[in-house]
Amino acid sequence: MKGMIIAANWKAYVESAAKAKKLFAAAKRLASRTGQEIILAPPPPFLGMLAAGNRSKVAFAAQDVSTATGGAHTGEVTAGTAREAGATYAIVGHSERRAAGDDNDIVSLKLQHTLAQGLTPILCIGERVRDEDAQYLVFLREEISSAFTALSQKERMTVLIAYEPIWAIGKTAADSIGPSDLAEMVLYIRKVLSEFLPGKGSSRARILYGGSVEADNAGALAQGGIDGFLIGHAATNTESFTKLVRAVV
Ligand code: PGA
């Protein structure tokens, strides 16, 4: 499928500068050969190293941004710093950050800082488990509404949603969501979005899927009504990433 957004979240998997450069070179080749939009989210020091002077089609994302906007906050990477380092996107509310303490209020603040710096947020939402009473749908609605309430209509339109069910993250293609369940979830997310984006807004909103996307399931999942993927482990190896991007084309 043409025009898919393929965002690669390297997390802390990539610790070598040589490996980071190799993955970037592969991403550049794939972006120009397949026409897919590739976004790389390296660890912060590598973001600056790779994005400096970047004139390729590959874009960069921060893996997270700080709640601070500057000042005495040792160790924090602000949205402004990420932008200066070359990011045009920022992942906000990833489940691994939420597990480290980011609640919906913090995610909302980070989203606002991201937008204030002109970065496009990739807002991650996703349930921990699927309970029989479907409380996970209420949970998802809450994640969306708390993030969107504080934003203007224009800001809401720029947010990319990444639906990442936590139970599917970091496993294998066999443990991931199936295409028909994904299609249902995307419909549900669009329905919730329609409360915040009037008219055609919710059908135009861009929704990515993440959670054990690999070369084996990417092609089928691409049919699930999504606009692209947020990929973790399979994007941290040149061979598996290349196979995966080619499987989506
Ligand atoms: P995974 O990670 O592809 O390794 O499941 C996805 C993510 O957490 O963004």
Side-chain angles (χ1 to χ4, degrees):
M1 282 173 77
K2 281 268 169 267
M4 293 289 271
I5 299 167
I6 307 209
N9 177 10
W10 292 357
K11 308 190 179 186
Y13 286 118
V14 181
E15 293 183 279
S16 122
K19 184 170 181 183
K21 285 179 188 162
K22 200 172 154 214
L23 284 165
F24 180 36
K28 282 195 274 196
R29 275 196 301 277
L30 286 164
S32 69
R33 285 185 198 158
T34 66
Q36 309 289 36
E37 195 176 331
I38 296 182
I39 304 165
L40 301 180
F46 294 157
L47 167 65
M49 176 186 82
L50 300 177
N54 174 36
R55 271 181 295 277
S56 76
K57 287 186 178 149
V58 174
F60 287 93
Q63 291 185 5
D64 185 30
V65 297
S66 178
T67 52
T69 52
H73 299 284
T74 305
E76 295 290 318
V77 178
T78 65
T81 313
R83 180 181 50 73
E84 280 293 305
T88 48
Y89 293 83
I91 299 173
V92 176
H94 189 278
S95 60
E96 286 148 19
R97 298 310 326 161
R98 291 184 191 259
D102 285 14
D103 59 16
N104 280 341
D105 289 343
I106 291 177
V107 172
S108 166
L109 187 61
K110 289 184 171 185
L111 199 56
Q112 291 170 58
H113 291 339
T114 299
L115 287 159
Q117 291 297 329
L119 300 173
T120 300
I122 302 175
L123 171 68
C124 299
I125 58 166
E127 74 278 7
R128 227 165 276 124
V129 286
R130 291 220 157 175
D131 58 305
E132 282 176 12
D133 301 331
Q135 281 304 307
Y136 67 94
L137 296 178
V138 178
F139 180 85
L140 283 176
R141 168 183 292 274
E142 187 51 37
E143 284 192 331
I144 296 171
S145 81
S146 76
F148 272 58
T149 301
L151 307 183
S152 69
Q153 284 301 323
K154 195 168 158 241
E155 287 173 333
R156 289 173 184 176
M157 278 311 298
T158 63
V159 177
L160 271 165
I161 303 263
Y163 171 54
E164 299 208 302
I166 299 169
W167 51 265
I169 293 180
K171 299 189 177 153
T172 68
D175 307 299
S176 185
I177 199 168
S180 59
D181 279 355
L182 176 58
E184 264 179 30
M185 290 310 298
V186 170
L187 281 180
Y188 175 72
I189 291 166
R190 289 201 195 282
K191 186 166 161 278
V192 175
L193 286 175
S194 69
E195 293 167 27
F196 299 93
L197 297 164
K200 291 206 168 62
S202 62
S203 57
R204 288 199 188 124
R206 291 169 303 163
I207 302 176
L208 312 182
Y209 169 75
S212 296
V213 182
E214 296 180 342
D216 288 348
N217 60 348
L221 289 175
Q223 311 296 323
I226 50 168
D227 302 283
F229 294 110
L230 180 54
I231 298 155
H233 65 274
T236 59
N237 169 290
T238 318
E239 290 73 36
S240 62
F241 188 55
T242 303
K243 264 199 199 161
L244 194 160
V245 175
R246 294 204 177 281
V248 177
V249 179

